[in-house]
């Protein structure tokens, strides 16, 4: 929050007002994933920026082809994973395992352990898959303290992680293909659809040609217009009363 306040203090107030449960995974009323995004619509809006100028049929075909490519790409990546967990979660687990090497463990019961990290002390309950640091139950992946307790008990982590992180779950996520469409000449379109006439939207008729853009005035043009002087004799601009040619001659 201090870093956010350095950027814009109004954002800090806004986050406080809407409540922690809307943006903090710890206070969320539902289980949130590690990455909080709107949905796939944001990704589609980015890559279809130019395609949105196409006719509706071509736009839909472009999006179908795009999803087909994405699904196949993710499926190939999942098939190329040879670890028990997905690459993202396996990397996080390896980082936690490295941190756990320097921790000391003291057993209290079969499932409850005290893990000592220099001067700090953490309580790990393997039965409930919880740690006092909060990371174990929040990420549903053994934290460094939990891995230290598991090493103390000579157990592996497989029974203490979310089933959604495994390679099998990734494969099931992308097992449903985006089916390709046959050629348009092979489509079986009902007659009442063919009889429909779709007219263009009503609106003001646009003038032909490219719309003219307003030209920005130069500094000299603005300055000359701002400081134009009117003559007190004839009312003309660009000269004063002394230099006016229409001024009456002195006798």
């Amino acid at each position: 929050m201090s870093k956010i306040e350095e950027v814009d203090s109004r954002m800090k107030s806004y986050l406080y007002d809407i409540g922690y449960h809307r943006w903090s995974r710890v206070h969320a009323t539902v289980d949130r994933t590690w990455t909080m995004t709107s949905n796939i619509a944001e990704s589609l809006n980015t890559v279809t920026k130019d395609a949105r100028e196409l006719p509706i049929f071509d736009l839909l075909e472009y999006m179908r082809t795009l999803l087909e490519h994405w699904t196949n790409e993710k499926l190939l990546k999942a098939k190329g994973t040879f670890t028990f967990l997905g690459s993202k979660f396996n990397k996080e687990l390896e980082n936690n395992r490295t941190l756990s090497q320097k921790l000391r463990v003291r057993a209290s019961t079969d499932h409850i352990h005290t893990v000592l990290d220099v001067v700090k002390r953490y309580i790990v309950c393997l039965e409930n898959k919880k740690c006092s640091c909060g990371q174990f139950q929040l990420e549903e992946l053994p934290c460094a303290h939990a891995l230290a307790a598991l090493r103390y008990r000579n157990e592996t982590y497989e029974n203490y992680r979310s089933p959604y992180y495994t390679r099998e779950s990734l494969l099931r996520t992308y097992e449903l293909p985006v089916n390709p469409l046959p050629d348009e000449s092979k489509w079986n379109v009902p007659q009442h659809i063919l009889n429909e006439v779709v007219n263009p939207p009503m609106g003001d008729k646009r003038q032909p040609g490219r719309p003219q853009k307003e030209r920005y005035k130069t500094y000299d043009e603005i300055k000359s217009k701002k400081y134009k002087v009117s003559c007190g004799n004839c009312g003309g601009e660009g000269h004063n009363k002394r230099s006016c040619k229409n001024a009456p001659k002195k006798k």
Side-chain angles (χ1 to χ4, degrees):
M1 294 301 288
S2 60
K3 292 181 180 179
I4 292 177
E5 190 175 21
E6 291 177 1
V7 178
D8 193 337
S9 59
R10 298 173 300 174
M11 183 59 67
K12 178 181 177 181
S13 301
Y14 170 75
L15 292 176
Y16 276 136
D17 293 339
I18 64 175
Y20 292 103
H21 66 283
R22 297 185 183 275
W23 53 270
S24 173
R25 292 179 59 208
V26 176
H27 297 87
T29 56
V30 296
D31 292 336
R32 296 189 183 276
T33 58
W34 291 11
T35 303
M36 293 176 60
T37 59
S38 300
N39 47 29
I40 196 175
E42 298 296 340
S43 300
L44 288 175
N45 284 339
T46 302
V47 297
T48 59
K49 182 177 180 181
D50 296 329
R52 277 177 278 180
E53 302 296 330
L54 298 173
I56 184 64
F57 170 77
D58 297 324
L59 171 62
L60 292 176
E61 176 60 16
Y62 177 88
M63 296 178 70
R64 187 202 63 79
T65 306
L66 181 65
L67 292 176
E68 182 182 49
H69 169 72
W70 280 355
T71 302
N72 182 66
E73 183 181 42
K74 297 295 184 180
L75 180 61
L76 292 177
K77 186 176 180 180
K79 288 182 177 180
T81 301
F82 300 102
T83 54
F84 181 74
L85 301 179
S87 57
K88 175 181 178 180
F89 309 106
N90 189 72
K91 182 179 179 180
E92 180 72 14
L93 187 71
E94 290 299 324
N95 293 336
N96 292 341
R97 183 177 283 113
T98 302
L99 295 174
S100 69
Q101 298 299 324
K102 61 179 182 180
L103 304 179
R104 293 185 296 117
V105 181
R106 186 171 64 238
S108 177
T109 65
D110 290 341
H111 300 286
I112 299 177
H113 299 75
T114 301
V115 180
L116 303 175
D117 184 2
V118 190
V119 296
K120 292 186 177 181
R121 183 169 51 194
Y122 300 91
I123 309 300
V124 176
C125 180
L126 295 177
E127 184 178 15
N128 297 327
K129 301 178 183 178
K130 290 184 178 181
C131 177
S132 58
C133 74
Q135 184 179 353
F136 191 7
Q137 58 268 33
L138 181 65
E139 297 184 350
E140 298 185 41
L141 191 71
C143 60
H145 316 114
L147 288 173
L150 289 173
R151 185 178 67 250
Y152 181 85
R153 290 174 51 87
N154 292 323
E155 284 193 56
T156 59
Y157 69 90
E158 281 82 358
N159 296 326
Y160 299 93
R161 82 292 175 272
S162 171
Y164 299 113
Y165 299 159
T166 61
R167 177 179 180 270
E168 286 72 18
S169 295
L170 288 175
L171 291 172
R172 288 196 298 269
T173 301
Y174 302 102
E175 67 181 359
L176 294 178
V178 179
N179 295 319
L181 288 177
D183 186 76
E184 188 175 356
S185 61
K186 304 294 184 181
W187 291 0
N188 183 16
V189 183
Q191 187 62 38
H192 70 276
I193 299 297
L194 295 175
N195 295 334
E196 287 284 345
V197 178
V198 181
N199 295 318
M202 299 296 295
D204 298 334
K205 187 176 180 180
R206 182 178 176 181
Q207 297 297 326
R210 176 181 294 181
Q212 294 182 354
K213 294 183 178 180
E214 182 180 357
R215 185 178 68 86
Y216 292 99
K217 296 181 180 180
T218 63
Y219 174 77
D220 294 334
E221 290 176 332
I222 297 175
K223 186 177 180 181
S224 62
K225 183 177 181 180
K226 183 176 181 180
Y227 295 101
K228 279 184 178 179
V229 181
S230 299
C231 177
N233 277 332
C234 63
E237 295 181 347
H239 62 278
N240 53 25
K241 185 185 294 186
R242 293 183 178 181
S243 61
C244 182
K245 297 179 180 181
N246 298 326
K249 297 180 179 180
K250 295 181 180 181
K251 294 183 180 179

